[in-house]
Amino acid sequence: MPALLELDNITISFGGLTALNRVSLRVEEGKINSLIGPNGAGKSTIFNVITGIYRPTDGRVIFQGKDITREKPYLITALGIARTFQNIRLFKNLTVLDNVKIGCHSCSRAGLFGAITRLGGVKREEREITARAQRALEIVGLASKGDELAKNLPYGEQRRLEIARALAASPRLLLLDEPAAGMNPQEKQTLMEMVQHIREMNITIMLVEHDMSFVMNLSDHVDVLNYGEKIAGGTPAEIRQNPRVIEAYLGNEIE
Ligand SMILES: Nc1ncnc2c1ncn2[C@@H]1O[C@H](COP(=O)(O)OP(=O)(O)OP(=O)(O)O)[C@@H](O)[C@H]1O
Ligand SMILES: [Mg+2]
């Protein structure tokens, strides 16, 4: 079966630094696919290549059989790939609902301006966007908080709000860059259940995360990067026992 997303020999260099060196991987539809590795290994760079923020020096990104390597980011979103960022990127002084509506902008004719100012003119479109944003908030358990300012949410809820914003773009593939970072155990547990729920909605997930129990409990498949090279790929059980992975990464994480 063809993969939902395929990276074929991706190489990207910044000046003298090769951030990714001939990385190939497959993301299977309906699965939770994780990407792990030490700091600076190239995980976020892979997300930036997939979403069109970086153009690789060499190689191809194939999504649903289509070469998207040189597509613009907004087109890639419209094709069905949405993401969150490693650092929280919210409009802190906007409401929770408005932050999610911004995620709908790529799919709306009224655009970002209309989503924020309600001057879109097309009332029906505005209602549809609000309804879609509300559904996204329900999925992340924030339906009752739409009118609060983003900055007033506790940290764990701010991270979930970012996921709601990504979901509002109706993705087939959702990229989550360290969603559990800085969360307490309770918040991590809630997040884990949420990610499983999103997968059950037939949204494929690609996860970058340093919390190994989070990754190993959730993932169907794990790829491992080290210094821009893919050193392993397999099930969580296979990855845990892989000597190269233990040496490069897991040895330190388990201690
Ligand atoms: N725009 C850029 N310009 C120059 N170097 C970059 C750029 N983006 C990434 N890099 C470099 O590429 C390498 C990989 O960075 P990346 O952010 O992908 O790592 P990461 O695996 O996400 O690490 P972390 O776990 O710390 O988030 C690093 O050496 C980084 O400094
Ligand atoms: Mg990163």
Side-chain angles (χ1 to χ4, degrees):
M1 211 177 74
L4 179 66
L5 177 85
E6 209 167 326
L7 301 196
D8 176 21
N9 271 307
I10 293 289
T11 296
I12 182 166
S13 304
F14 300 105
L17 175 95
T18 304
L20 296 173
N21 187 15
R22 299 179 67 84
V23 173
S24 294
L25 57 86
R26 291 161 58 85
V27 172
E28 303 289 346
E29 176 133 40
K31 302 263 165 77
I32 298 177
N33 305 262
S34 290
L35 203 51
I36 63 170
N39 295 116
K43 306 178 298 294
S44 296
T45 300
I46 285 194
F47 279 10
N48 286 328
V49 167
I50 294 170
T51 53
I53 295 172
Y54 292 167
R55 288 207 167 166
T57 318
D58 202 6
R60 295 184 312 154
V61 182
I62 312 288
F63 179 62
Q64 294 184 302
K66 180 180 156 57
D67 188 336
I68 60 162
T69 320
R70 308 209 173 266
E71 291 289 10
K72 297 213 161 58
Y74 76 91
L75 275 173
I76 292 172
T77 310
L79 286 171
I81 302 180
R83 73 176 294 180
T84 63
F85 291 89
Q86 189 164 344
N87 302 310
I88 292 186
R89 293 191 183 184
L90 292 171
F91 294 93
K92 303 237 174 229
N93 289 311
L94 289 185
T95 66
V96 166
L97 185 65
D98 280 343
N99 267 282
V100 181
K101 283 162 110 178
I102 287 164
C104 303
H105 81 270
S106 61
C107 319
S108 133
R109 267 168 289 128
L112 180 62
F113 185 69
I116 297 176
T117 63
R118 301 191 179 81
L119 293 174
V122 191
K123 283 244 170 55
R124 187 162 57 93
E125 188 171 19
E126 165 71 14
R127 276 200 303 273
E128 280 167 14
I129 288 176
T130 304
R132 197 200 292 192
Q134 198 61 43
R135 281 198 299 278
L137 282 176
E138 276 162 26
I139 295 166
V140 304
L142 294 175
S144 64
K145 303 221 168 172
D147 294 334
E148 289 192 26
L149 293 182
K151 67 179 177 193
N152 292 337
L153 294 186
Y155 177 80
E157 293 187 357
Q158 291 193 15
R159 297 228 73 144
R160 270 152 54 200
L161 173 54
E162 293 212 296
I163 297 176
R165 183 168 59 194
L167 287 172
S170 303
R172 299 275 315 269
L173 175 65
L174 176 64
L175 312 181
L176 301 173
D177 197 346
E178 300 198 22
M183 285 190 172
N184 65 39
Q186 177 92 51
E187 289 171 329
K188 281 183 188 173
Q189 184 58 36
T190 308
L191 178 68
M192 203 180 286
E193 286 159 19
M194 222 189 74
V195 172
Q196 274 161 338
H197 176 60
I198 292 170
R199 187 251 304 265
E200 281 157 21
M201 297 166 56
N202 206 22
I203 296 172
T204 305
I205 289 165
M206 211 173 162
L207 174 73
V208 166
E209 187 47 65
H210 283 290
D211 183 317
M212 277 311 107
S213 85
F214 192 89
V215 167
M216 297 303 186
N217 279 321
L218 265 181
S219 307
D220 300 298
H221 181 90
V222 180
D223 287 306
V224 188
L225 283 181
N226 191 33
Y227 290 112
E229 309 223 358
K230 181 172 145 181
I231 59 168
T235 63
E238 287 164 350
I239 293 303
R240 254 199 220 101
Q241 293 161 10
N242 183 310
R244 279 187 85 185
V245 179
I246 293 168
E247 188 189 345
Y249 186 51
L250 288 183
N252 300 329
E253 289 299 307
I254 287 164
E255 273 163 25

